[in-house]
Amino acid sequence: MSKTILISGATAGFGAATARRFVGAGWKVIGTGRRADRLDALKAELGENFYGAAFDITDEAGMTAALGALPEPFQAIDVLLNNAGLALGTKPAPQTALSDWKTMIGTNVTGLVALTHHLLPGLIARKGAVINIASVASNWPYSGGNVYGGTKAFVRQFSLGLRSDLHGKGVRVTSIEPGLCESEFTLVRNGGDKAAYDALYGGADPLQPQDIAETVFWVATLPPHVNINSLEIMPVSQSFAGFQIHRN
Ligand code: 8X3
């Protein structure tokens, strides 16, 4: 019998690529997101093994209603991919809007834990898996990362804590921490500035959403006794810089 994965934020980037990867391998995929037209387009592309559940992850009542209305063939979820998330801005903390910080926390933290809490009983019953998309920003502070990095550090640590809490239950939990990857994520982060988007990726040969989809598929299909705890991935072109020192 084919397995089922629920992918939050399936309307673009990692989420859409991962939906294609899993449907291509015969899985059933529930893709969630706010943009129903994008989910409809994925449904038209991927066929009967894809189901689009349109809701905003920050709307808990909408989430509960949409999950309660899943068609019978999609109700037994084996894997939850917590992919929905966003960054807003790259400016230093004093130059940011509090509303942007709250939006990031609302989606990356509050929405993610709500969806996880909702699906956890079924995942435990099926000895399933939770795969969370964190970030290199979980592990490495950088200027302008502020609250985005904070939310992603939460995602990584929540993953590890969840794994500890689920000890002995046969549920796998993984934090995947991607670095520079070419996707709509960057357009959202910089307010739709295409020139900044092109400049960021120019000559960098960044990761592509398919690279992350392949990684998620590998993690999800390892033998059941193998758990990847955390996995940080960068393009070869990205590495680490030194500390900054301010001198008088
Ligand atoms: C975002 C990746 O490299 O911009 O999660 O911090 S990076």
Side-chain angles (χ1 to χ4, degrees):
M1 211 176 75
S2 71
K3 289 194 158 192
T4 301
I5 181 170
L6 184 143
I7 301 172
S8 69
T11 53
F14 301 167
T18 307
R20 292 187 177 99
R21 180 67 181 88
F22 277 76
V23 168
W27 284 54
K28 287 208 269 299
V29 174
I30 303 154
T32 85
R34 281 171 304 174
R35 293 170 290 188
D37 56 330
R38 295 260 189 123
L39 294 175
D40 288 347
L42 273 175
K43 172 82 188 160
E45 175 189 337
L46 298 176
E48 64 176 18
N49 278 343
F50 180 85
Y51 177 80
F55 62 85
D56 182 338
I57 199 162
T58 65
D59 168 14
E60 209 179 314
M63 175 192 297
T64 304
L67 295 175
L70 290 175
E72 199 279 327
F74 291 88
Q75 285 173 5
I77 296 166
D78 300 287
V79 179
L80 164 62
L81 176 65
N82 274 313
N83 165 71
L86 81 168
L88 292 172
T90 52
K91 293 213 168 84
Q95 296 163 40
T96 59
L98 178 58
S99 57
D100 283 350
W101 285 8
K102 287 182 174 174
T103 299
M104 288 188 275
I105 293 167
T107 298
N108 302 2
V109 176
T110 312
L112 181 146
V113 299
L115 184 58
T116 305
H117 195 271
H118 199 100
L119 295 181
L120 211 45
L123 291 166
I124 292 170
R126 276 180 289 283
K127 296 192 191 309
V130 180
I131 303 175
N132 291 330
I133 299 295
S135 168
V136 294
S138 307
N139 308 327
W140 306 100
Y142 57 80
S143 178
N146 48 69
V147 167
Y148 174 69
T151 65
K152 290 298 181 174
F154 174 90
V155 172
R156 180 177 192 277
Q157 196 66 10
F158 175 60
S159 308
L160 298 176
L162 198 56
R163 172 141 165 70
S164 180
D165 282 359
L166 297 175
H167 181 78
K169 297 204 182 308
V171 177
R172 299 191 285 179
V173 186
T174 301
S175 165
I176 295 180
E177 296 135 26
L180 186 72
C181 184
E182 184 169 8
S183 80
E184 202 178 278
F185 171 90
T186 295
L187 273 183
V188 172
R189 186 172 205 173
N190 66 28
D193 184 340
K194 184 68 169 62
Y197 177 98
D198 291 340
L200 177 66
Y201 297 125
D205 200 6
L207 296 173
Q208 297 297 321
Q210 294 86 333
D211 297 320
I212 305 306
E214 204 56 54
T215 304
V216 172
F217 187 77
W218 175 71
V219 166
T221 56
L222 284 165
H225 67 283
V226 179
N227 193 96
I228 304 297
N229 295 337
S230 74
L231 182 57
E232 185 180 86
I233 314 166
M234 289 178 176
V236 174
S237 61
Q238 184 179 31
S239 69
F240 320 101
F243 291 115
Q244 49 189 350
I245 297 171
H246 174 74
R247 301 176 199 281
N248 294 317

